[in-house]
Amino acid sequence: MAEPEFTATGVRIGRGLRSLTRAGQVRISGGRLELLTSHGSEIDSAPVQAVRASRPWCASAGRALADLNGHRYLLTLRAHDPAPGEPGPPAAGRFIEAVRRAAGRGG
């Protein structure tokens, strides 16, 4: 199995006003984006070319939107990358760049 192109743990994943997990995982590997619960169960996944990632216009810098399979998910990451050796999810901007890079859209 290939090394994941992007992995973030400790991510809050929500859909609408509903929180699906407070310590989930986001992974881009093998051309797919996967949203997982804290226990590793799949919430949703899709080919990265079919995913749209963006920043919400009315939210803090640590949030990103991911549209996949007709559903919009709000991901709460961090506003800035954690210091080396510090636990926690990477910045939302790195997630958006990773989706665009994996899909071949630049970034």
Side-chain angles (χ1 to χ4, degrees), residues 22-40:
R22 286 192 264 158
Q25 184 177 28
V26 176
R27 183 172 47 206
I28 298 174
S29 181
R32 291 189 69 79
L33 171 71
E34 298 173 310
L35 303 178
L36 307 169
T37 67
S38 57
H39 301 292

Side-chain angles (χ1 to χ4, degrees), residues 11-24 43 74 76:
V11 179
R12 182 171 188 259
I13 302 172
R15 200 167 112 195
L17 297 175
R18 183 173 166 222
S19 177
L20 301 175
T21 184
R22 286 192 264 158
I43 295 170
L74 179 63
T76 304

Side-chain angles (χ1 to χ4, degrees), residues 39-55:
H39 301 292
S41 300
E42 184 176 292
I43 295 170
D44 207 345
S45 71
V48 76
Q49 290 85 1
V51 174
R52 198 176 99 213
S54 61
R55 288 190 193 275

Side-chain angles (χ1 to χ4, degrees), residues 15 44 46 50 66-73:
R15 200 167 112 195
D44 207 345
D67 293 321
L68 56 153
N69 297 325
H71 301 288
R72 177 170 284 177
Y73 297 94

